[in-house]
Amino acid sequence: MASPSSDLDRERRKCTFNVAELTDIINGGREKTERRQYLESLVLNEPIFNYDDYYFLSREEKYSDAVKKTVRLVQVLKQHNIEDPEDYQTLLKYVLNLNLPIALHNSMFRPTIRDQGTDEQRKKWLPLANDYKIIGTYAQTELGHGTFIRGLETTSTYDPKREEFVLNTPTLTATKWWPGCLGKTSTHAVVMAQLYIKNQCYGIHSFIIQLRSLKDHSPMPGVTVGDIGNKVGLETNDNGFLAMDNVRIPRENMLMRHAQVYPDGTYRKPANSKLVYGTMVLLRATVVSESATNLSKAATIAIRYSCVRRQTEAKPGELEPQIIDYVTQQHKLVPQLATAYAFAWIARYMMSTYHALHADIESGHLGALQELHGISSGLKAFTAEMSVSGIEVCRRACGGHGFSAASGLVSMYKDRLPSCTYEGENTVLYLQTARFLLKCFRQPSITPSSMSYIQVKPLPGARWGVKSPEDLMKPILLVEAFEHRAQRTIKSAAQFLESQISQGLDTSEAMNRSGIEFVRCAKAHCYYFVTRNFFQSTALLKCSKEIKESLLTLGVVFALNGIADNSGEFLEDCFITGTQMEFVRERILYCYKQLRPNLVGLVDAFAFADQSLNSALGAYDGDVYNRLYNWAKRAPLNKTDVHSSYHKYLKPILKSKI
Ligand SMILES: CCCCC/C=C/C(=O)SCCNC(=O)CCNC(=O)[C@H](O)C(C)(C)COP(=O)(O)OP(=O)(O)OC[C@H]1O[C@@H](n2cnc3c(N)ncnc32)[C@H](O)[C@@H]1OP(=O)(O)O
Ligand SMILES: Cc1cc2nc3c(=O)[nH]c(=O)nc-3n(C[C@H](O)[C@H](O)[C@H](O)COP(=O)(O)OP(=O)(O)OC[C@H]3O[C@@H](n4cnc5c(N)ncnc54)[C@H](O)[C@@H]3O)c2cc1C
């Protein structure tokens, strides 16, 4: 048997491009790579951040271990004056492969105060939060409502006499349920509640409440708080519940940047009622980046493993082949690698668009609200869905060892599963994107330039201009196919809605009956958006010819598999012919062959530290079997040769007369 590490060495010698150059491109430049390496050096060398036996821990041990790591991380950040949120994100992406009990503090609590708080409120709360003197979460979802925010039952009633709000969870279903880090960690929360003044409801607003004493961490009076129990994944996160019984907070604790309640109870409404939803939009944009990162990790593990795993005697007397050389294995993994790169590029687009439109919104240009909501909703759902499915494809492609916790793919899959649900359940978000697409379809004047393609009505009888398999390497033809499909499905969704209304259904029932068409056109739009962005971004890169060629070929793989996996949508109106579908299948094989020498180089370029992957299958040196065996020997069950259950239970029956 060839030695696993020699297999990977040989793979690395095959690579046709400079891996470090591609790493810089992925990171956003040489400086960013150096900054990342510096941040990694601060943490990766600390024994406390060792994850070797993490998979053996119980849920409670995992949570406690994560709190320990969190405290040390905060100390490191303070010691080295690391305050830039981007640095924190870099550490999360590339170093810490855990969901920390300060996840919501940094991802939602602080941003909500920053974006929804007045200058005075920022001055009061942000220094405490930035210095981790308080730890917060974002408590919106309740036992009875997650999607329908306007249906939330928690109330915040203004008492003008004492200039206070009184918060209550009036029913069991009003109990806040799921918020991350709520159960045991957070001392404060932004609570989303229905504002009541003189018995009139003004809808959802955000309020800061203290959950726990800063002296002994015990729950505050009127606060019942705890962990919601074991979940599929995210075991380090104490997702919790919160019930409030007449919890009084000062008037100043309502975040009042957009809406105000004056001491006498006068209410000033926000310029737009959706401004209070702003933090969710930021998180949806962040989910796009997380989806890219996790699929990149999964592809790294599975491709490295597939280069060291040899199986089945292809030709008598010869070495068993590397499983990466089975085309069926390439057909599992190369599309995931292509998707990982496509998502890395769209994540950069999403975050830059978020910051640009958020700045517009901050300057009062509220028209950008809907555009940002429309774009972020779809991309969150699309990338989360494909990333989670892709991680499972990578796990399954590793055979039996893919089922071992030591693969790193099992916990990754379990931890990424909820990304299709939190921050907006995927279907609900697709419907929101579709709502915006149809608005653009009907009202060209509100259509942002990024969606101007919607105005172009596809010519009846339009046909794909592909004449040969070689044509399929031309981005313009690939983008044309996805653009046509998106235009057609948006138009068809609009027509379907009209047909429902013309049959006499009221708008909400007609919208409901059109829901499947809406989701279909939202997905088609996202596929087009990601494909177009991939080729546009790659074309602009200043890099070696070899890197550009590999990235373009990955883009072709992403696009062609998108067509092959959804062929019905392209054949439905005869835009694509059967012959052209044969070209697609032939070209997919061609691309796999072209990419084969560079597969390890393309995953090495992500430059995930072994500690961050925490995988016996995906370590840089490929020493799979030793890692698996040594890890198994450390399993708690192997502390003794004979387990105590033998003496307690097994021995009597084994001694009994047969
Ligand atoms: C490490 C792990 C971290 C995980 C942390 C997880 C945190 C969480 O999960 S926080 C909780 C997340 N929860 C959600 O995302 C709830 C999802 N539901 C919603 O966002 C809303 O309920 C809705 C969008 C589904 C509906 O909102 P609603 O107020 O009922 O709006 P209408 O349906 O009446 O009208 C839609 C209308 O409003 C516009 N709009 C909706 N949301 C936004 C927004 N965020 N920004 C801007 N505009 C928004 C939408 O465009 C429609 O406009 P029109 O078409 O002009 O009516
Ligand atoms: C791991 C995890 C972490 C979370 N962290 C937080 C947090 O920190 N803070 C917080 O506030 N919340 C948090 N949540 C809650 C999360 O935001 C909600 O679970 C999510 O918004 C979905 O709402 P729901 O659970 O009520 O599902 P539901 O809305 O009940 O969805 C159930 C089904 O109904 C369908 N459905 C619902 N409404 C519609 C509709 N209008 N049209 C069509 N179909 C519909 C959905 O598509 C879905 O298939 C977290 C959840 C998880 C799993």
Side-chain angles (χ1 to χ4, degrees):
M1 158 133 22
S3 83
S5 44
S6 63
D7 279 331
L8 276 183
D9 291 344
R10 188 170 46 257
E11 292 295 332
R12 286 167 177 139
R13 287 195 295 274
K14 285 182 199 169
C15 188
T16 63
F17 58 78
N18 174 348
V19 171
E21 183 187 355
L22 183 50
T23 299
D24 289 347
I25 290 169
I26 293 167
N27 289 330
R30 182 74 207 135
E31 270 180 36
K32 293 277 177 75
T33 297
E34 286 166 358
R35 182 67 183 170
R36 174 182 156 187
Q37 287 165 344
Y38 165 69
L39 292 166
E40 287 174 332
S41 69
L42 295 181
V43 176
L44 289 178
N45 302 325
E46 291 242 359
I48 198 171
F49 290 108
N50 179 297
Y51 298 91
D52 286 352
D53 291 345
Y54 170 73
Y55 300 126
F56 297 133
L57 301 180
S58 68
R59 182 196 162 209
E60 191 170 359
E61 288 166 333
K62 282 176 180 171
Y63 168 69
S64 179
D65 174 65
V67 174
K68 184 178 69 172
K69 286 178 166 68
T70 295
V71 169
R72 182 60 197 133
L73 175 69
V74 168
Q75 288 166 349
V76 168
L77 295 174
K78 286 183 177 177
Q79 271 168 324
H80 299 277
N81 300 316
I82 296 167
E83 292 166 357
D84 183 342
E86 194 176 331
D87 284 340
Y88 176 75
Q89 284 304 325
T90 299
L91 282 167
L92 283 186
K93 266 175 88 153
Y94 294 110
V95 180
L96 304 159
N97 74 343
L98 286 186
N99 188 258
L100 298 178
I102 51 171
L104 270 295
H105 178 75
N106 289 318
S107 63
M108 297 196 85
F109 182 74
R110 289 166 68 181
T112 304
I113 295 170
R114 185 195 62 215
D115 295 346
Q116 320 252 343
T118 62
D119 293 345
E120 294 71 29
Q121 289 173 324
R122 289 172 171 178
K123 273 198 206 90
K124 172 181 178 182
W125 293 104
L126 286 182
L128 295 170
N130 296 346
D131 204 29
Y132 297 93
K133 289 201 167 33
I134 63 172
I135 295 178
T137 183
Y138 180 89
Q140 172 176 296
T141 301
E142 298 171 353
L143 254 180
H145 290 94
T147 288
F148 186 45
I149 300 174
R150 288 186 292 122
L152 293 174
E153 297 175 81
T154 297
T155 60
S156 177
T157 307
Y158 185 61
D159 172 358
K161 289 196 191 69
R162 294 176 53 176
E163 295 189 19
E164 292 175 337
F165 290 101
V166 183
L167 277 95
N168 272 293
T169 46
T171 61
L172 175 64
T173 49
T175 307
K176 293 299 180 185
W177 196 275
W178 275 112
C181 320
L182 172 63
K184 294 296 173 191
T185 313
S186 295
T187 61
H188 289 72
V190 165
V191 170
M192 307 301 276
Q194 304 283 2
L195 168 62
Y196 278 86
I197 304 170
K198 298 176 190 127
N199 293 320
Q200 184 176 345
C201 182
Y202 291 87
I204 294 295
H205 292 70
S206 37
F207 303 84
I208 295 181
I209 85 155
Q210 184 168 347
L211 302 166
R212 292 177 177 274
S213 154
L214 295 179
K215 288 196 185 68
D216 62 8
H217 211 57
S218 59
M220 298 300 281
V223 168
T224 304
V225 68
D227 183 87
I228 63 169
N230 288 12
K231 313 172 291 270
V232 169
L234 292 182
E235 296 172 284
T236 54
N237 194 314
D238 52 316
N239 296 87
F241 63 81
L242 165 66
M244 291 166 284
D245 179 8
N246 289 318
V247 175
R248 284 186 167 268
I249 59 173
R251 183 182 65 86
E252 292 74 19
N253 277 34
M254 173 179 145
L255 293 174
M256 296 204 208
R257 187 168 200 83
H258 302 303
Q260 293 81 34
V261 174
Y262 295 98
D264 65 353
T266 307
Y267 173 74
R268 182 162 170 272
K269 70 178 187 175
N272 182 307
S273 65
K274 309 305 177 192
L275 284 165
V276 75
Y277 291 3
T279 306
M280 291 184 282
V281 177
L282 168 61
L283 255 288
R284 291 165 190 159
T286 309
V287 169
V288 177
S289 175
E290 289 168 357
S291 298
T293 300
N294 283 278
L295 187 56
S296 306
K297 284 184 173 181
T300 299
I301 293 169
I303 286 174
R304 284 179 179 167
Y305 177 66
S306 297
C307 288
V308 300
R309 180 69 171 181
R310 290 177 172 275
Q311 200 63 207
T312 311
E313 189 180 38
K315 293 176 188 138
E318 285 194 4
L319 258 183
E320 293 179 71
Q322 295 162 283
I323 58 175
I324 193 64
D325 286 320
Y326 290 114
V327 172
T328 48
Q329 188 79 353
Q330 292 170 10
H331 194 45
K332 293 172 191 172
L333 299 182
V334 182
Q336 306 318 324
L337 178 61
T339 304
Y341 271 92
F343 287 1
W345 283 196
I346 199 72
R348 201 170 288 166
Y349 163 86
M350 182 68 252
M351 285 322 288
S352 62
T353 301
Y354 172 82
H355 290 303
L357 293 175
H358 185 256
D360 284 355
I361 294 161
E362 286 290 286
S363 61
H365 169 50
L366 299 187
L369 258 175
Q370 294 233 345
E371 178 185 352
L372 183 55
H373 174 55
I375 292 172
S376 59
S377 294
L379 288 180
K380 178 270 182 188
F382 185 73
T383 56
E385 194 169 54
M386 285 189 76
S387 171
V388 165
S389 315
I391 292 166
E392 173 56 10
V393 168
C394 290
R395 186 199 65 76
R396 217 179 293 172
C398 296
H401 301 325
F403 193 66
S404 165
S407 69
L409 291 165
V410 174
S411 51
M412 187 192 299
Y413 179 68
K414 295 195 300 184
D415 287 353
R416 292 308 302 164
L417 268 176
S419 63
C420 295
T421 306
Y422 60 52
E423 280 318 333
E425 199 279 330
N426 277 4
T427 305
V428 170
L429 294 185
Y430 275 131
L431 292 169
Q432 288 293 309
T433 291
R435 189 170 169 146
F436 184 61
L437 294 172
L438 294 186
K439 224 178 203 180
C440 295
F441 179 74
R442 285 194 294 266
Q443 302 170 47
S445 61
I446 66 150
T447 305
S449 57
S450 62
M451 296 189 181
S452 57
Y453 79 93
I454 297 174
Q455 306 313 325
V456 179
K457 302 293 178 275
L459 297 170
R463 292 289 176 271
W464 200 18
V466 167
K467 302 278 183 292
S468 68
E470 291 72 19
D471 277 348
L472 293 175
M473 302 306 286
K474 296 172 185 167
I476 190 166
L477 289 172
L478 297 171
V479 172
E480 178 197 11
F482 285 91
E483 182 178 74
H484 173 83
R485 174 208 183 188
Q487 288 165 335
R488 187 175 64 75
T489 50
I490 292 168
K491 182 180 174 192
S492 134
Q495 289 171 339
F496 189 91
L497 177 63
E498 287 309 315
S499 72
Q500 297 303 303
I501 292 171
S502 63
Q503 287 169 35
L505 269 62
D506 64 41
T507 305
S508 73
E509 186 45 32
M511 294 280 279
N512 181 28
R513 288 182 59 83
S514 307
I516 297 169
E517 292 306 304
F518 285 6
V519 170
R520 196 158 81 106
C521 79
K523 287 185 177 181
H525 162 76
C526 291
Y527 236 121
Y528 163 64
F529 221 69
V530 172
T531 304
R532 182 181 71 179
N533 179 70
F534 189 102
F535 288 117
Q536 284 174 346
S537 306
T538 302
L540 295 172
L541 291 177
K542 291 184 177 32
C543 59
S544 70
K545 179 170 70 65
E546 293 76 15
I547 287 179
K548 183 91 60 148
E549 265 171 18
S550 290
L551 292 175
L552 284 172
T553 308
L554 282 174
V556 173
V557 166
F558 178 76
L560 294 183
N561 278 289
I563 293 171
D565 294 346
N566 302 279
S567 53
E569 302 247 323
F570 296 89
L571 293 163
E572 204 168 286
D573 64 339
C574 305
F575 179 75
I576 287 185
T577 65
T579 303
Q580 288 167 329
M581 283 310 294
E582 285 167 21
F583 292 165
V584 166
R585 292 197 174 84
E586 181 275 341
R587 203 52 16 176
I588 284 173
L589 289 177
Y590 168 82
C591 289
Y592 293 166
K593 193 172 172 64
Q594 292 297 105
L595 286 166
R596 174 64 188 87
N598 288 331
L599 291 180
V600 170
L602 286 163
V603 297
D604 283 353
F606 294 127
F608 291 116
D610 285 352
Q611 212 155 322
S612 167
L613 296 173
N614 199 17
S615 166
L617 308 186
Y620 188 83
D621 66 7
D623 192 12
V624 168
Y625 300 118
N626 278 318
R627 288 179 189 280
L628 276 173
Y629 188 67
N630 292 332
W631 176 80
K633 282 201 296 187
R634 294 201 308 274
L637 267 179
N638 294 325
K639 278 203 185 91
T640 57
D641 277 336
V642 179
H643 191 261
S644 58
S645 59
Y646 165 76
H647 301 290
K648 282 187 227 166
Y649 312 111
L650 212 51
K651 186 175 175 181
I653 63 164
L654 291 178
K655 294 283 185 206
S656 59
K657 292 276 179 293
I658 295 170

